């Protein structure tokens, strides 16, 4: 068990990464009375707009990491690709309650899948390859469709290729030869994708948010619906799998696990050692958000039990839709719009989200349909 250091307002929380997740962490922390310092290479990034101090530097700049650590009483991060040397330094200083292990594992798809396999959890069959030749050999013994991914990096569909048939083998071989360390997984023709988000303290208290059901478009999360339309059996399997991983990795803070559902069975996909896009609904739909729980956990505070106040749908706002969303704001009264303060609305870039809540699925569907129609 980790030492449970208590950090109280107005002490300073340092955040590595200045995007929307850091921004929403910072807003939650500021409501509670904490000060915020952020490290990000982009001046006036989304988190800096609500922070007390920004250190403008690369994430692996050790002088900047040391400065952030010195001025912060506790440090967290908004993405998993944090430099491990930096994370281990902060951990050694006693200011990274999340530790470096979760980062090390979630930065590497091979380590992630191997951990799940060693824990006896249900995952798609996989092979790790480190060259084009190894890839060609591996694909001789796998059923199609499959997917090849880089073991490091990649998000929102980047860094991977779906392989539909043997005709795609040459493309996969080229991909493996170029990227070297890759993982080939059986493609799961899933019925649903769900995400399990929980928060855990250093004292091993764990609280689960309602399971969310996700819909993607072009590999980017489009819509999250809560509660997920799943059986009680699936819910139990999902929470049990998440608990096993949480204990095995000694998780502190908010953590997300994406899972596939097929034929009333779950298959674990990927993990994120931080708040997650599919948990944004918690800001309005729950008594406590994933961000507030995260801040409480890293600051050594106890966690309130989570209640879903109303069913919810969250829709991402991408750069393509920004102008239409702004144009509809004066007329559309339903929905809680969150914009992230990004300076440029690029295509497929996450610029914000909108959350709808309602007493019934029918009420929610009507609100969502009206919103979608207003954008067209």
């Amino acid at each position: 068990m980790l030492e449970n250091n208590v950090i109280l307002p107005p002490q300073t929380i340092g955040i590595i990464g200045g995007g929307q997740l850091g921004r929403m962490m910072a807003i939650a922390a500021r409501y509670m009375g904490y000060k915020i310092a952020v490290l990000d290479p982009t001046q006036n990034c989304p988190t800096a707009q609500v922070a007390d101090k920004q250190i403008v530097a690369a994430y692996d700049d050790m002088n900047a990491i040391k400065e952030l650590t010195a001025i912060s009483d506790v440090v967290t991060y908004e993405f998993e690709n944090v430099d491990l040397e930096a994370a281990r330094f902060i951990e050694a200083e006693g200011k990274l309650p999340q530790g470096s292990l979760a980062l090390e594992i979630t930065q590497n798809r091979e380590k992630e899948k191997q951990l799940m396999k060693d824990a006896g959890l249900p995952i798609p069959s996989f092979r790790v390859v480190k060259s084009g030749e190894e890839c060609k050999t591996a694909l001789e013994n796998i059923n199609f469709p499959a997917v090849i991914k880089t073991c490091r990096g990649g998000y929102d569909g980047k860094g991977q290729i779906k392989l539909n048939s043997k005709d795609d083998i040459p493309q996969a071989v080229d991909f493996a030869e170029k990227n070297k360390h890759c993982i080939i997984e059986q493609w799961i023709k899933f019925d649903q994708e769900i995400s399990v988000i929980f928060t855990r303290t250093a004292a091993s208290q764990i609280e689960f948010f309602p399971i969310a059901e996700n819909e993607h478009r072009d590999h980017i999360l489009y819509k999250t619906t809560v509660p997920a339309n799943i059986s009680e059996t699936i819910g139990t399997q999902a929470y049990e799998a998440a608990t096993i991983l949480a204990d095995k990795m000694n998780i502190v803070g908010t953590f997300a696990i994406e899972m596939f559902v097929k034929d009333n069975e779950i298959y674990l996909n990927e993990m994120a050692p931080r708040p997650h896009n599919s948990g944004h609904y918690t800001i309005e739909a729950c008594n406590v958000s994933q961000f507030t729980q995260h801040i409480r956990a890293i600051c050594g505070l106890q966690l309130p039990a989570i209640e879903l106040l109303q069913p919810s749908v969250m829709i991402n706002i991408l750069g393509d839709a920004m102008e239409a969303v702004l144009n509809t704001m004066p007329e559309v009264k339903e929905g809680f719009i969150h914009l992230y303060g990004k300076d440029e609305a690029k295509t497929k870039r996450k610029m914000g989200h909108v959350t709808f809540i309602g007493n019934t699925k029918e009420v929610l569907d009507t609100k969502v349909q009206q919103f979608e129609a207003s954008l067209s």
Side-chain angles (χ1 to χ4, degrees):
M1 185 183 297
L2 296 172
E3 185 180 351
N4 192 36
N5 294 324
V6 176
I7 308 298
L8 296 174
Q11 289 179 278
T12 298
I13 298 170
I15 302 175
I16 302 174
Q20 63 264 26
L21 295 177
R23 179 188 181 94
M24 287 182 273
M25 284 182 200
I27 290 171
R30 288 183 73 89
Y31 268 122
M32 297 170 70
Y34 290 100
K35 294 179 181 177
I36 300 295
V38 59
L39 169 61
D40 192 276
T42 303
Q43 184 80 44
N44 197 40
C45 58
T47 307
Q49 294 164 18
V50 294
D52 297 277
K53 178 178 176 61
Q54 179 182 6
I55 300 170
V56 181
Y59 302 126
D60 60 353
D61 182 329
M62 284 305 299
N63 288 328
I65 288 291
K66 290 174 181 177
E67 181 184 354
L68 180 72
T69 306
I71 65 175
S72 303
D73 298 286
V74 65
V75 177
T76 185
Y77 44 80
E78 67 139 21
F79 59 91
E80 50 268 41
N81 291 316
V82 175
D83 181 74
L84 280 180
E85 180 188 355
R88 288 169 182 147
F89 169 81
I90 304 167
E91 185 177 21
E93 293 292 305
K95 293 185 178 181
L96 190 70
Q98 292 163 270
S100 58
L101 177 62
L103 285 171
E104 182 181 346
I105 291 170
T106 56
Q107 284 179 7
N108 187 307
R109 288 190 172 100
E110 177 182 2
K111 291 183 178 181
E112 191 173 63
K113 281 294 190 292
Q114 194 60 50
L115 179 85
M116 294 174 181
K117 183 179 179 181
D118 292 345
L121 297 172
I123 56 173
S125 59
F126 71 94
R127 291 279 300 275
V128 174
V129 298
K130 296 184 177 180
S131 68
E133 193 60 36
E134 286 186 12
C135 173
K136 186 176 180 181
T137 301
L139 288 174
E140 291 173 357
N141 300 300
I142 197 166
N143 295 322
F144 290 92
V147 60
I148 183 168
K149 306 175 182 179
T150 56
C151 279
R152 293 183 63 88
Y155 63 95
D156 289 344
K158 300 177 178 69
Q160 61 180 269
I161 302 173
K162 184 181 179 184
L163 311 174
N164 294 299
S165 69
K166 290 186 176 181
D167 293 340
D168 294 323
I169 289 178
Q171 185 182 11
V173 169
D174 289 344
F175 183 89
E177 190 61 39
K178 176 185 175 184
N179 293 288
K180 301 304 179 187
H181 193 190
C182 298
I183 186 168
I184 301 170
E185 298 176 17
Q186 193 69 54
W187 183 270
I188 301 294
K189 296 179 181 178
F190 54 87
D191 302 318
Q192 297 160 289
E193 184 193 285
I194 60 174
S195 52
V196 178
I197 298 175
F198 62 86
T199 310
R200 186 176 183 272
T201 68
S204 302
Q205 182 193 0
I206 188 168
E207 296 290 343
F208 286 94
F209 289 95
I211 295 174
E213 184 172 347
N214 301 321
E215 177 188 329
H216 287 77
R217 294 184 180 179
D218 297 327
H219 303 290
I220 300 173
L221 181 64
Y222 170 69
K223 180 191 295 183
T224 294
T225 301
V226 180
N229 182 25
I230 55 174
S231 67
E232 186 176 339
T233 300
I234 288 294
T236 300
Q237 289 178 18
Y239 283 136
E240 287 178 350
T243 302
I244 289 169
L245 285 176
D247 291 340
K248 194 173 184 67
M249 298 171 68
N250 214 0
I251 295 302
V252 174
T254 295
F255 194 93
I257 308 172
E258 295 175 335
M259 305 181 187
F260 300 134
V261 179
K262 179 175 174 59
D263 299 331
N264 215 32
E265 297 286 343
I266 62 167
Y267 295 86
L268 277 66
N269 183 26
E270 294 180 346
M271 306 186 287
R274 50 166 172 79
H276 193 261
N277 193 174
S278 63
H280 292 349
Y281 77 91
T282 61
I283 297 171
E284 283 86 20
C286 294
N287 62 313
V288 59
S289 77
Q290 64 167 344
F291 301 102
T292 297
Q293 289 286 67
H294 181 73
I295 296 301
R296 294 186 67 89
I298 65 167
C299 290
L301 309 180
Q302 292 192 41
L303 307 176
I306 295 165
E307 299 174 30
L308 180 66
L309 303 177
Q310 285 190 310
S312 175
V313 170
M314 186 281 303
I315 294 176
N316 273 330
I317 299 171
L318 302 184
D320 330 37
M322 265 296 288
E323 184 177 356
V325 168
L326 293 174
N327 289 338
T328 62
M329 282 183 73
E331 285 79 35
V332 177
K333 64 180 180 179
E334 299 292 353
F336 300 88
I337 293 179
H338 298 251
L339 299 179
Y340 302 147
K342 295 183 179 180
D343 58 357
E344 188 178 354
K346 298 177 182 177
T347 301
K348 305 303 179 188
R349 188 184 196 190
K350 293 172 184 173
M351 301 299 295
H353 71 269
V354 56
T355 302
F356 301 91
I357 57 175
N359 290 323
T360 66
K361 181 180 183 300
E362 290 71 27
V363 169
L364 269 177
D365 286 346
T366 299
K367 292 180 178 182
V368 171
Q369 288 164 10
Q370 290 174 343
F371 175 75
E372 290 176 325
S374 74
L375 300 182
S376 59

